[in-house]
Amino acid sequence: MIKTILTNLALVTTLLIVQPLTTPAQATNPIIYADVPDLSMIRVGDTYYMSSTTMHMSPGVPIMKSKDLVNWQIVSYCYDVLDSVDALNLDNGKFAYGSGSWASSIRYHKGTFYVSTFAGTTGKTYIYTTKNIEKGPWKKISFKPMMHDHSLFFDDDGKVYMIYGGGRLMIAELEADLTGIKAGTTPQVLIEDASKPGGPNMGLKAEGSQLFKENGKYYLFNICWPRGGMRTVTIHRADKITGPYEGRLGFQDKGVAQGGLISTPKGDWYAYLFRDYGAVGRIPYWVPVQWVDGWPVIGVDGKVPDTLAKLPASKGLMPGIVASDDFNRKKNDRALPLVWQWNHNPDNANWSLAARKGWLRITTGRVDTSLLLVKNMLTQRTFGPTSAASTLMDVSNMKEGDCAGLALLQKKFGWVGVKMEGGKKWLVMINGDKTAPVEVERVPLTANTVYLKADCDFRDRTDKGTFSYSLDGQSWTHIGNILQMEYTLPHFMGYRFGLFNWATKSTGGWVEWDGMGLSK
């Protein structure tokens, strides 16, 4: 039955997303209505590549590709596992929510792609290199110290630098092989107070450095946030990479900020930036740029335009950024499509797509005390303005104390699923939008299969989540109450759909899912 649902969802997706009844002739903002923050972008010939932040997720540092700046697909990740430490493994009560790897920097230099990032979890800076950005393999370099929100830069004289820091920005020259800070050198102050162009009473000081060189001059983009104001772009310019730099306020509208510059093959320029937009996360916007007196001037009369006449219409997020999955695999298919990520490093011994053809099986490997500590939660982004996920779950092999289902994952999570208690199965809705998770409703379940559904409404930052279930895949029954979703800083990520199974008493029980369908 879930295959039929997925087919129908595909048809709906085609009608609503791929072939709308009235096709707009131009791109609209936001470009991507999903959590794709900390953008870094390059163009190689006529192809754009973009990296982003997914922090504690595995695999990590997604690489996206586009031919037109509007329609993107995930083509790679820099790593499967950033590092094996307790926090990234969800071991010994530790976790990496809000941490893991942060803002990356993507570069292309002499036939090689470079993507660098850093992690407060490990205190390291990481650089990944490959000749083939879509197929890999990726080579990993790591070193200390951790360089916060850095920009990797290959200068024309062959030297390699990182610009990094917050408020007081630093510059460090790297070894030619990128294995660390160049021997015999020490990082130097590049700009003492990079927040200054953003105004007084600064809350978030300048960070998110991205450095560019155009017409012989160096341009450094940063984000700052004045108290009581909004996220703001600052730009500094210099004739030499080491400065001195002169700065100015670069852009201030709707809180759209943090990113850099990209040009099209036709010579049009844009700033790629993002906006904090509630529970769905931090969503990308493109803003036109004109060059005036040697400065990039962002915006249309200083504002973010709703439409971009020189860029084509979006064909939608599916299947490039999110996608339905029936869990059927052909011989040479990836085990999991790139739209999927695990919440923290997975335990690969306890999940399978081969144990039952066309089904995902997750087996409990340990006893846990909280949904947020559960190994092997398989996730995808939620997306706006509205989105829904549905799945068919087989609970025949649950053990006493097991909990399994479909979650909306953030610190203030909610889920619908099945609890095994007293030898009986119960359909439950759990709401975690208050101080502690609460079981809002339960109904007895006598069947061994049940359909589950989670709906999200992000319109105008409504940020409402609701859950329902069905025994036949046709007639749905609402369960529980509204989850008031909230983007929290401890998790620092937009909500995710998640499939999970966890034990509270003993291990070895398993649950299977017959695909997951996504729709608007």
Side-chain angles (χ1 to χ4, degrees):
M1 180 63 72
I2 193 66
K3 313 302 182 189
T4 302
I5 291 176
L6 288 170
T7 300
N8 291 337
L9 286 172
L11 293 174
V12 171
T13 298
T14 301
L15 290 172
L16 293 181
I17 301 176
V18 180
Q19 295 175 343
L21 296 178
T22 302
T23 304
Q26 55 198 8
T28 59
N29 272 316
I31 297 296
I32 301 174
Y33 208 143
D35 192 48
V36 184
D38 301 335
L39 314 167
S40 183
M41 194 186 302
I42 56 173
R43 177 171 59 84
V44 180
D46 65 352
T47 304
Y48 305 91
Y49 295 100
M50 178 167 70
S51 62
S52 178
T53 295
T54 51
M55 298 184 298
H56 57 275
M57 293 288 173
S58 176
V61 186
I63 305 298
M64 289 152 279
K65 170 187 174 182
S66 176
K67 286 289 189 178
D68 58 16
L69 268 179
V70 176
N71 297 287
W72 295 86
Q73 62 174 322
I74 303 172
V75 295
S76 182
Y77 288 94
C78 290
Y79 61 79
D80 288 325
V81 172
L82 177 69
D83 258 319
S84 184
V85 297
D86 281 355
L88 291 169
N89 293 334
L90 281 176
D91 283 341
N92 298 316
K94 296 184 179 181
F95 52 80
Y97 291 110
S99 189
S101 63
W102 279 13
S104 57
S105 178
I106 186 170
R107 294 289 182 259
Y108 182 71
H109 180 67
K110 294 185 177 180
T112 298
F113 291 91
Y114 299 81
V115 181
S116 58
T117 185
F118 69 101
T121 309
T122 61
K124 296 179 183 178
T125 298
Y126 299 82
I127 302 176
Y128 297 90
T129 66
T130 184
K131 294 289 186 180
N132 189 327
I133 196 169
E134 297 189 38
K135 297 181 179 179
W138 291 87
K139 176 186 175 183
K140 173 183 175 181
I141 301 168
S142 66
F143 57 84
K144 292 186 174 183
M146 174 194 80
M147 296 186 180
H148 176 81
D149 275 17
H150 63 251
S151 182
L152 179 64
F153 192 82
F154 295 86
D155 211 352
D156 297 336
D157 61 3
K159 295 182 178 181
V160 190
Y161 298 91
M162 276 188 174
I163 289 87
Y164 64 99
R168 188 186 199 213
L169 301 184
M170 307 295 291
I171 184 170
E173 185 178 352
L174 301 186
E175 296 282 6
D177 60 4
L178 308 181
T179 52
I181 296 173
K182 186 175 180 180
T185 70
T186 57
Q188 302 295 312
V189 176
L190 187 68
I191 303 173
E192 183 66 42
D193 183 9
S195 310
K196 190 174 182 179
N201 197 27
M202 194 59 58
L204 175 68
K205 295 185 178 182
E207 61 178 22
S209 293
Q210 295 202 32
L211 184 68
F212 307 88
K213 190 173 186 180
E214 182 65 20
N215 291 329
K217 290 186 180 291
Y218 299 86
Y219 296 88
L220 180 61
F221 275 57
N222 289 98
I223 160 89
C224 64
W225 198 333
R227 290 186 178 91
M230 67 180 72
R231 291 164 47 88
T232 299
V233 178
T234 61
I235 305 173
H236 286 81
R237 182 180 74 174
D239 293 321
K240 297 191 302 181
I241 192 169
T242 53
Y245 282 82
E246 56 177 325
R248 60 166 56 179
L249 191 151
F251 190 64
Q252 196 174 60
D253 183 43
K254 297 181 180 178
V256 175
Q258 190 166 340
L261 291 171
I262 196 73
S263 65
T264 70
K266 294 181 179 180
D268 298 318
W269 286 83
Y270 294 90
Y272 55 87
L273 308 166
F274 67 84
R275 182 184 188 186
D276 291 272
Y277 206 71
V280 75
R282 297 178 286 171
I283 60 179
Y285 283 67
W286 299 169
V287 187
V289 169
Q290 301 294 326
W291 289 89
V292 179
D293 297 328
W295 286 92
V297 177
I298 304 172
V300 178
D301 297 325
K303 302 295 182 182
V304 177
D306 292 328
T307 59
L308 299 163
K310 292 186 177 181
L311 296 178
S314 172
K315 297 176 182 177
L317 301 183
M318 294 189 266
I321 304 297
V322 297
S324 298
D325 189 354
D326 64 7
F327 293 142
N328 277 308
R329 298 290 180 264
K330 297 179 181 178
K331 183 177 180 180
N332 295 319
D333 287 347
R334 293 181 56 91
L336 288 170
L338 294 170
V339 294
W340 291 107
Q341 288 176 285
W342 295 102
N343 179 34
H344 291 70
N345 294 339
D347 175 1
N348 290 316
N350 281 312
W351 71 272
S352 174
L353 287 170
R356 181 179 179 184
K357 183 175 174 58
W359 295 71
L360 166 70
R361 177 183 293 184
I362 296 179
T363 303
T364 60
R366 70 181 189 190
V367 172
D368 284 307
T369 57
S370 165
L371 175 74
L372 297 180
L373 295 176
V374 171
K375 284 268 196 179
N376 291 353
M377 185 186 301
L378 187 61
T379 78
Q380 280 203 49
R381 293 170 177 84
T382 59
F383 54 96
T386 62
S387 56
S390 58
T391 186
L392 172 62
M393 187 169 73
D394 187 330
V395 295
S396 304
N397 296 285
M398 294 180 74
K399 297 182 70 173
E400 182 70 17
D402 287 358
C403 303
L406 170 63
L408 289 173
L409 176 64
Q410 231 270 2
K411 180 184 179 183
K412 297 188 175 183
F413 61 81
W415 60 270
V416 60
V418 176
K419 282 185 176 181
M420 188 75 159
E421 290 184 354
K424 297 180 180 180
K425 300 182 182 74
W426 300 91
L427 268 169
V428 300
M429 183 268 173
I430 305 296
N431 190 318
D433 66 9
K434 299 296 189 294
T435 304
V438 175
E439 182 184 295
V440 178
E441 184 178 355
R442 67 164 52 193
V443 295
L445 177 67
T446 56
N448 282 324
T449 59
V450 61
Y451 295 85
L452 306 174
K453 188 176 182 183
D455 286 271
C456 303
D457 186 351
F458 300 112
R459 292 172 293 186
D460 300 319
R461 303 195 190 190
T462 301
D463 294 346
K464 305 289 187 186
T466 56
F467 298 92
S468 52
Y469 68 92
S470 173
L471 298 178
D472 59 10
Q474 302 296 323
S475 177
W476 292 88
T477 301
H478 176 77
I479 186 170
N481 59 5
I482 292 173
L483 174 71
Q484 185 56 59
M485 296 185 288
E486 180 183 337
Y487 187 96
T488 70
L489 292 182
H491 274 219
F492 211 24
M493 180 176 285
Y495 274 76
R496 290 251 172 169
F497 296 117
L499 303 176
F500 67 91
N501 177 31
W502 60 294
T504 66
K505 293 186 179 298
S506 62
T507 63
W510 72 83
V511 170
E512 296 167 322
W513 289 265
D514 185 23
M516 188 170 87
L518 298 181
S519 63
K520 278 188 170 289

